[in-house]
Amino acid sequence: MCGIVGYIGQKQAAPILLDGLAKLEYRGYDSAGIATLNDGKIDVAKAKGRLAVLSELTDEGKNVPGTVGIGHTRWATHGEPSDINSHPHVSMDGRFSVVHNGIIENYISLKEKLISKGFEFKSETDTEVIAHLFEYYYNGDIIDAMIKVINRVEGSYAIGVLCADYPDQFVAVRKASPMIIGLGEGENFIASDVTAILNHTRNIYYLEDNEIVILKSDGVKVYNTDKEEVEKEVFTVNWDVSAAEKGGYEHFMMKEIEEQPKALRDTISPRIKDGRIVLDDISLTAADIKAIKKIFIVACGSAYHVGVVGKYAIEKMCRIPVEVQVASEFRYCDPIVGKNDLVIVISQSGETADTLAALKEAKSKGARILSIVNVVGSAIANASDDVIYTWAGPEIAVATTKAYSTQLAVMYLISLYMADKLGMVTSGQYKKLIEQIEALPDQVAEIIKQKDKVQYLASLFFNSQSIFFIGRNLDYAVSLEGSLKLKEISYIHSEAYAAGELKHGTISLIESGTLVVALATGRELFDKTVSNVKEVKARGAVVIGLTTESQTYMSEVADHVITVPDTDEMLLPSLSVVPLQLFGYYVASLKGCDIDKPRNLAKSVTVE
Ligand code: G6P
């Protein structure tokens, strides 16, 4: 959702802002705008629609002068996508210009107050109150004004502000919304994430809530809300610039599917030393693990689907009860969670609003938080007791692939690590599982090599109205992800069903020619799922069976078969998900959909 970029330096700001915003497009947006400071005057250009519209309006930024500026891509929350509602918003006296990502929860009361003081609002946004509040509180000192503003607003915010009185600087702050500071040579930046500034610098500051940043071309100063300067540590990002670029691929999604073997290797290898799992990153001791009464796994979207796999894996290996819940439900169900519970929070972006709120809810009740996060230094990582990072690199396509896969890998490592500490695995089982986990990257690479076959199947079914995915246990968990991958990017209606549950209602939707993708990789329940395949076939369904190489019987019942290599049952989701990612991709591609930026979706969802 909303993306922010800010620049101050020697170069013209506008083209740099547009370039940075283009790197943030993947977050999802419906309008864009920039503001620059030039000769003590603020220039604003903004437009509904894609960045290309703004780019054309400003001649690629060339006709917006100034070497300091802020830019924004807006994903509408308060007020429809329109030129007027786009950011930046400007105070009535024209002295301040503001970009904002987040939600100002008390904006209505603030708006009423400002209107009673004579302020006039042009937009329907919550953000405009910030611009007017700056004017209201400003007494000649920008930091004082910022402190007063953040004392008054409630909610989440990353804010960049230009002030016409300060031509050689701009100011920023964040709370519960993402923003990093980029430290260049003679130029400095703010950005919603590092991908926007990787072309310029890899040295960054992560900000704590309500740290106020003054950016000048020759330096950056950070203050707390008592106006005392805060020492910050410089963090160097090890992502390659090419990691955030398409590199010849038509879509980021395919690039990221193909990056999975590397992402898995990068995530797994550093954590296995001499055949043992070493989780240096976390402080959870054997005694802590033994004291755990219950584990909750909380996440949204695909990360939640990893949690569904996690429940099966942890319960099977550790015999600790696991409840997996979507974060938006968990936070509002007054969860019975406490001191002896572990809450595993999963998030690629580390900034999903519901996930972060659920984390805080669990923490406030005394639970210990272990998070699995991809974006280093993100809000969820910062708020957790322990973090295990997935080393997937930047994920740009809205539909996650490599982040999902690396989250799964971490889930296996945690499950096996805990099972070992609990004495629930023999050394033989442990050794074998480690070998199988280490083999996953190569096995995934083998599956990707067979993508032509999946593309062929996609060509048979891309005109479907409705597609069902069925499976049992872990195969059901993967069905959820396969179904989501397909529907989010191809807009084909799809449902995932526990294979045994289908006949309790949904089977009435099966008619002649309906495609059912049946996952039956697990050996124990293979025969049961085969029976379900027969049930749907008897009602006219066409079936793609997804199973392991050794379970050849599938070809006798299904119309088409996709196989993945055999491995331990717990690890099979890492393999079976790959053909489903490819299937979703090819179906969407054949339908001509906007694969990397599907309609209405955002990569990081920073609102409830
Ligand atoms: C959005 C994305 C999903 C993602 C979910 C959770 O809905 O479109 O792909 O799984 O958010 O995101 P997170 O960053 O917390 O993993």
Side-chain angles (χ1 to χ4, degrees):
M1 291 186 168
C2 305
I4 289 178
V5 184
Y7 172 81
I8 186 159
Q10 316 304 326
K11 300 177 197 139
Q12 192 186 353
I16 293 173
L17 297 174
L18 289 174
D19 178 62
L21 291 177
K23 301 280 187 324
L24 297 178
E25 275 192 299
Y26 77 93
R27 295 171 65 87
Y29 72 106
D30 36 48
S31 58
I34 54 174
T36 59
L37 242 178
N38 189 41
D39 275 347
K41 186 180 145 287
I42 291 174
D43 279 315
V44 178
K46 48 192 196 173
K48 180 185 163 183
R50 291 284 183 206
L51 262 179
V53 181
L54 180 65
S55 200
E56 200 181 320
L57 185 75
T58 59
D59 190 15
E60 294 173 349
K62 291 191 205 88
N63 63 20
V64 187
T67 56
V68 49
I70 49 179
H72 189 265
T73 45
R74 173 175 185 255
W75 191 87
T77 55
H78 298 69
E80 59 171 9
S82 69
D83 293 355
I84 297 246
N85 286 334
S86 311
H87 301 208
H89 292 284
V90 179
S91 59
M92 263 177 66
D93 61 3
R95 186 180 270 140
F96 299 96
S97 177
V98 175
V99 289
H100 164 228
N101 171 17
I103 302 252
I104 303 303
E105 286 162 3
N106 59 339
Y107 87 101
I108 292 178
S109 61
L110 291 172
K111 191 168 177 175
E112 283 165 358
K113 176 192 162 99
L114 287 162
I115 288 171
S116 76
K117 302 276 177 198
F119 284 86
E120 283 166 24
F121 281 75
K122 290 187 180 139
S123 76
E124 301 156 90
T125 65
D126 53 340
T127 303
E128 197 179 348
V129 298
I130 302 174
H132 295 320
L133 278 178
F134 267 98
E135 178 177 337
Y136 181 67
Y137 285 124
Y138 183 63
N139 60 5
D141 185 307
I142 186 74
I143 301 187
D144 286 345
M146 178 65 100
I147 291 170
K148 285 186 180 142
V149 171
I150 59 181
N151 277 338
R152 287 297 279 119
V153 294
E154 288 164 17
S156 58
Y157 44 81
I159 304 171
V161 187
L162 296 180
C163 175
D165 291 355
Y166 293 85
D168 62 343
Q169 67 182 55
F170 73 104
V171 56
V173 72
R174 63 160 287 278
K175 184 186 155 208
S177 283
M179 179 189 282
I180 50 106
I181 306 299
L183 308 162
E185 296 283 326
E187 56 184 9
N188 291 298
F189 306 81
I190 58 171
S192 295
D193 67 50
V194 290
T195 51
I197 55 163
L198 269 184
N199 278 333
H200 306 279
T201 181
R202 296 202 192 168
N203 293 333
I204 62 170
Y205 285 157
Y206 290 115
L207 297 177
E208 300 294 328
D209 280 358
N210 284 336
E211 284 183 340
I212 298 163
V213 193
I214 299 287
L215 295 102
K216 298 188 176 182
S217 55
D218 58 356
V220 171
K221 288 197 169 157
V222 181
Y223 299 89
N224 63 21
T225 45
D226 290 329
K227 224 177 161 181
E228 295 156 344
E229 198 174 335
V230 181
E231 279 294 314
K232 298 295 291 182
E233 198 186 327
V234 180
F235 184 90
T236 303
V237 179
N238 57 10
W239 286 353
D240 198 320
V241 179
S242 66
E245 314 220 309
K246 269 195 205 154
Y249 284 86
E250 198 179 341
H251 300 105
F252 276 109
M253 185 176 174
M254 182 52 87
K255 177 173 180 255
E256 289 160 6
I257 288 174
E258 296 207 353
E259 282 172 351
Q260 289 182 109
K262 178 179 181 321
L264 281 167
R265 219 168 274 123
D266 290 349
T267 301
I268 295 167
S269 304
R271 280 145 182 156
I272 298 181
K273 292 186 185 126
D274 301 324
R276 310 283 315 163
I277 299 173
V278 182
L279 296 179
D280 288 336
D281 355 32
I282 62 170
S283 58
L284 207 63
T285 62
D288 293 333
I289 294 168
K290 284 178 187 144
I292 296 171
K293 291 250 172 334
K294 185 169 176 183
I295 295 177
F296 291 81
I297 307 180
V298 182
C300 300
S302 296
Y304 164 77
H305 295 159
V306 172
V308 181
V309 175
K311 174 183 164 67
Y312 285 111
I314 296 174
E315 288 190 339
K316 187 151 195 176
M317 298 207 65
C318 306
R319 305 309 294 158
I320 298 174
V322 180
E323 192 172 322
V324 50
Q325 215 169 19
V326 287
S328 54
E329 286 299 309
F330 179 87
R331 61 184 290 198
Y332 291 121
C333 71
D334 194 9
I336 306 169
V337 57
K339 207 164 117 306
N340 292 320
D341 298 327
L342 176 69
V343 176
I344 301 179
V345 171
I346 311 172
S347 175
Q348 186 285 126
S349 62
E351 61 180 77
T352 304
D354 281 319
T355 310
L356 181 60
L359 182 162
K360 288 182 178 164
E361 169 77 15
K363 204 169 174 179
S364 73
K365 291 186 161 170
R368 186 180 183 130
I369 313 292
L370 167 61
S371 65
I372 303 174
V373 176
N374 196 42
V375 177
V376 176
S378 53
I380 289 173
N382 287 342
S384 303
D385 296 306
D386 289 305
V387 189
I388 303 184
Y389 283 111
T390 48
W391 297 119
E395 191 178 65
I396 310 293
V398 166
T400 178
T401 52
K402 61 177 180 169
Y404 171 92
S405 287
T406 51
Q407 287 162 354
L408 269 189
V410 170
M411 199 46 105
Y412 304 145
L413 292 175
I414 293 174
S415 307
L416 185 53
Y417 182 81
M418 293 202 304
D420 181 46
K421 299 285 179 223
L422 292 169
M424 305 286 286
V425 277
T426 65
S427 60
Q429 286 167 329
Y430 186 89
K431 186 166 176 284
K432 188 156 182 223
L433 267 168
I434 290 285
E435 282 166 11
Q436 287 171 316
I437 291 173
E438 286 183 311
L440 286 174
D442 287 342
Q443 289 178 316
V444 167
E446 279 308 307
I447 297 168
I448 293 170
K449 275 190 201 150
Q450 296 164 35
K451 61 184 184 183
D452 290 356
K453 180 170 183 189
V454 182
Q455 187 175 23
Y456 166 71
L457 291 174
S459 75
L460 301 181
F461 298 108
F462 75 98
N463 280 323
S464 301
Q465 294 294 311
S466 201
I467 297 178
F468 293 85
F469 289 74
I470 60 170
R472 289 167 181 262
N473 280 7
L474 287 164
D475 281 321
Y476 169 58
V478 182
S479 299
L480 291 168
E481 179 61 7
S483 171
L484 178 63
K485 280 286 86 69
L486 177 82
K487 66 188 149 197
E488 64 184 344
I489 55 173
S490 75
Y491 316 141
I492 292 177
H493 165 255
S494 169
E495 284 184 43
Y497 250 81
E501 183 66 12
L502 197 70
K503 57 182 150 316
H504 298 291
T506 314
I507 203 162
S508 65
L509 296 171
I510 305 289
E511 53 191 23
S512 177
T514 305
L515 176 62
V516 175
V517 181
L519 280 78
T521 61
R523 192 164 287 279
E524 257 177 58
L525 296 169
F526 179 82
D527 292 341
K528 302 274 175 209
T529 307
V530 162
S531 302
N532 301 129
V533 168
K534 288 178 179 163
E535 285 161 14
V536 294
K537 276 202 66 69
R539 284 149 185 92
V542 180
V543 173
I544 297 178
L546 174 48
T547 188
T548 58
E549 282 159 6
S550 65
Q551 300 185 111
T552 51
Y553 183 66
M554 182 57 93
S555 58
E556 313 238 339
V557 280
D559 301 276
H560 308 274
V561 178
I562 301 173
T563 58
V564 296
D566 286 274
T567 186
D568 185 89
E569 194 142 335
M570 176 178 84
L571 310 181
L572 280 166
S574 286
L575 306 183
S576 56
V577 76
V578 179
L580 303 184
Q581 296 168 341
L582 289 165
F583 186 70
Y585 174 87
Y586 285 123
V587 169
S589 167
L590 287 159
K591 289 190 72 186
C593 299
D594 188 353
I595 293 184
D596 286 338
K597 296 191 281 289
R599 69 184 178 211
N600 306 337
L601 291 178
K603 179 74 180 161
S604 63
V605 181
T606 50
V607 298
E608 281 187 37

